[in-house]
Each structure stands twice: as C-alpha cells, then as structure tokens.
Amino acid sequence: MARKLPYHLLDVFTDRRFCGNPLAVVEGADELTATEMQAIAREFNLSETVFLQSPQDPVNSARARIFTPQKELPFAGHPTIGAAALLAETRAGDILARSDVVIVLEEEIGALRCEALRGRNGVTYAQTALPAAPRKIGESPAREALAAALSLTPGEIGFGAHVPTIYSAGAPFLFVPLQSREALDRARRGPTFADAVGEAIGAFLYTHDTVDFANAIHARMYAHGLGIDEDPATGSAAAAFAGVAHEFERPDDGEHELFIEQGYAMGRPSRITLRMTVENGALAVVAIGGQVVRVGEGALRL
C-alpha cells in the first residue's frame, strides 16, 4: 500500500503568489531516507525542498532537512522562513491572528528560533536570527578572473569600498559587487565560472542600483553544484551579506535594517529583510526575514 505524505507549496520573500522563491514543504518525513528525500527534491525541481521531521528535542517545533535538486544543505534561508510561517499558520493559526508565534527549527547549523506574525495585509511574515555571525572565508579570485567568469569587464566589478569577497552564514557564497544594474543584467556564466566560484555554492552579484529606491541592493545569485541555474531569492546569501555590509559599509553601533531585492531578471521579484545589530564595532545579531504566501498543497504517494 502506498504511503502518503502531505506537502505544501509556498512562495517565500513575497506578498504575492507566483513571485518570490517557490518552496515545497513535506511534512511527516520521519521515515524517509536521505536518498528518498533527495529523489523527492529532484521531482519537485525547486531551488529547495524542506522535509519536516519530529524534533530531537521535544521542546522544539520540528527538525528541518533541506535539499536542493542535487544535494543537502546545512542551512538555507527561504526554507527556514517558509517552514516557520507554515507551521505558525497550521499549528497556531488562532494565536497568529492576534500575536506573534515562535517556531524553533532544528537544522544542521543549530536550533533556529523563528518569529512569525500576521501583517496588516493578511500575509504572514517570519524572521530568524542566526546562531553565529557570518564569517569570511579565504580569498576571492582576482577581478580579471571574475570578469571572464561572468562575461563582464574588470572595470565593471567593484564600487565604493566594495570588492569581491567570500562569506558564509552556514553556506559559502562568492560576493561580487557590480557598478550598475545594467552590468548585473548582462552578466552570464562564462566557461571559467565553476573554477572562479570554487567551493562556494553560488556567486551573489549585487549593486546599489536598485529598482525600488527603498531597497539597499539589487542582486542575482548564480548557483554552483546545486542542480539549479539561478535562484530568485537567496536567504542564506542575504544572511552572509551582513558580513559584507559590515566590512565595507562600517555601520555604527546600533540596529540596522536593509532590504535586498532579487529575482527580477527571472520574473519573480523578491524582497528579503536583513537586520543587523552592531555592538562595539562587531556584528552581534544577524536576522533575515520575509513574507510568505501559500500556493497549494497535496500528497506524495510513495
């Protein structure tokens, strides 16, 4: 007899259906093997699929395992935000209607405390703080090598104090600042892209030339080794970007909020909220958040 597992389809980092980053959330996944989860993720063929299992610590809400079509990840932003919003709606909808709901997800990088709230527009917003500040990893390739890898010229790379760098908040990204949105829209993978990205799971291209003046940066993320080409909203990269912003913008002590727009080139405009608290010149708290809309649900037959 076939097993049936419920799943939900969500759009994350948006308040509109068919925008943002699509996500599949599979519930009741305790008995699934890693091989089965990987096969299901390939079947959905989204940038990530999250599988919810019983928590190892019963005080927490769930254990979350995150798979791209090609590999498992220790942390990813839009699965975390999407799963937290979904659990708040399905397990505590009455409470969510009048106050915030706390969801704790066990992931490989640690237990993530997520807060969900219902916005004035009726859309659920969720955010999570990272267990540790982003860390810088190694050295990025030379500007000339990056230009060749992205089909650009060396002069189009870098602006202000920003230069290419590699940061990780659970998953490493190569951050490439570009002079303009026109250059970012024109960027393409060159034959040396894989060599330039190296061990990072993607190249996060960004510019201050935004579509919406209220946003701080406009970005694209070309994935590497994940089974997808481009991601419409990358929460783990946004979390790691806190390290980039702290290094090159030198924010004063206190709380800071910036918005990252992404996905426009894919026809899936997205908005990620990045919050940073700086104490004594160091990053003390980093949190990401965004809105989540439910698109559909069904059952897997296994």
Side-chain angles (χ1 to χ4, degrees):
M1 184 174 180
R3 288 181 293 163
K4 290 187 178 182
L5 291 181
Y7 71 84
H8 304 263
L9 296 177
L10 315 174
D11 285 332
V12 183
F13 297 126
T14 181
D15 61 354
R16 291 174 291 163
R17 290 176 179 83
F18 315 125
C19 295
N21 201 346
L23 174 70
V25 182
V26 178
E27 295 190 277
D30 291 67
E31 296 183 8
L32 292 180
T33 66
T35 300
E36 289 175 314
M37 286 186 272
Q38 187 64 78
I40 292 168
R42 281 197 300 269
E43 183 73 12
F44 279 118
N45 200 33
L46 301 175
S47 50
E48 279 115 1
T49 297
V50 59
F51 297 86
L52 298 181
Q53 301 177 325
S54 300
Q56 295 175 331
D57 185 339
V59 75
N60 297 329
S61 305
R63 182 185 181 198
R65 295 186 65 178
I66 301 165
F67 286 77
T68 77
Q70 192 166 320
K71 65 188 294 186
E72 184 173 8
L73 298 177
F75 165 72
H78 102 280
T80 302
I81 296 301
L86 175 68
L87 290 177
E89 289 184 358
T90 57
R91 295 185 182 180
D94 291 344
I95 299 174
L96 185 63
R98 58 182 185 273
S99 65
D100 296 358
V101 172
V102 173
I103 299 293
V104 180
L105 296 175
E106 297 173 355
E107 298 184 15
E108 189 174 324
I109 66 168
L112 298 178
R113 185 181 188 275
C114 309
E115 297 174 286
L117 58 93
R118 185 64 55 81
R120 293 180 180 177
N121 59 357
V123 177
T124 299
Y125 175 94
Q127 69 173 12
T128 185
L130 302 182
R135 57 191 180 93
K136 192 172 184 178
I137 300 176
E139 298 294 331
S140 69
R143 191 171 302 193
E144 291 74 16
L146 284 176
L150 296 169
S151 305
L152 298 172
T153 65
E156 292 175 305
I157 295 177
F159 61 82
H162 289 249
V163 297
T165 188
I166 302 172
Y167 271 91
S168 173
F173 289 89
L174 170 62
F175 290 92
V176 184
L178 297 180
Q179 290 278 343
S180 67
R181 184 157 29 105
E182 186 275 331
L184 188 148
D185 289 340
R186 188 165 28 86
R188 296 291 183 272
R189 296 169 186 263
T192 59
F193 177 83
D195 291 336
V197 175
E199 297 300 317
I201 68 169
F204 190 83
L205 317 182
Y206 68 97
T207 177
H208 279 331
D209 183 9
T210 60
V211 174
D212 186 336
F213 73 91
N215 298 331
I217 65 168
H218 182 91
R220 298 181 74 173
M221 198 287 279
Y222 286 124
H224 174 54
L226 301 181
I228 61 170
D229 179 39
E230 184 175 354
D231 196 32
T234 315
S236 53
F241 186 79
V244 176
H246 181 258
E247 178 176 354
F248 299 127
E249 297 293 340
R250 297 296 181 187
D252 295 334
D253 282 4
E255 297 183 358
H256 304 270
E257 179 180 76
L258 58 88
F259 301 106
I260 298 171
E261 60 182 35
Q262 191 180 338
Y264 283 73
M266 303 177 68
R268 300 192 67 95
S270 310
R271 192 189 206 202
I272 303 172
T273 302
L274 172 61
R275 292 188 170 91
M276 306 181 295
T277 301
V278 180
E279 295 179 356
N280 299 318
L283 278 175
V285 178
V286 173
I288 58 167
Q291 294 176 294
V292 180
V293 293
R294 293 165 69 179
V295 177
E297 55 275 322
L300 290 169
R301 297 173 63 90
L302 303 175

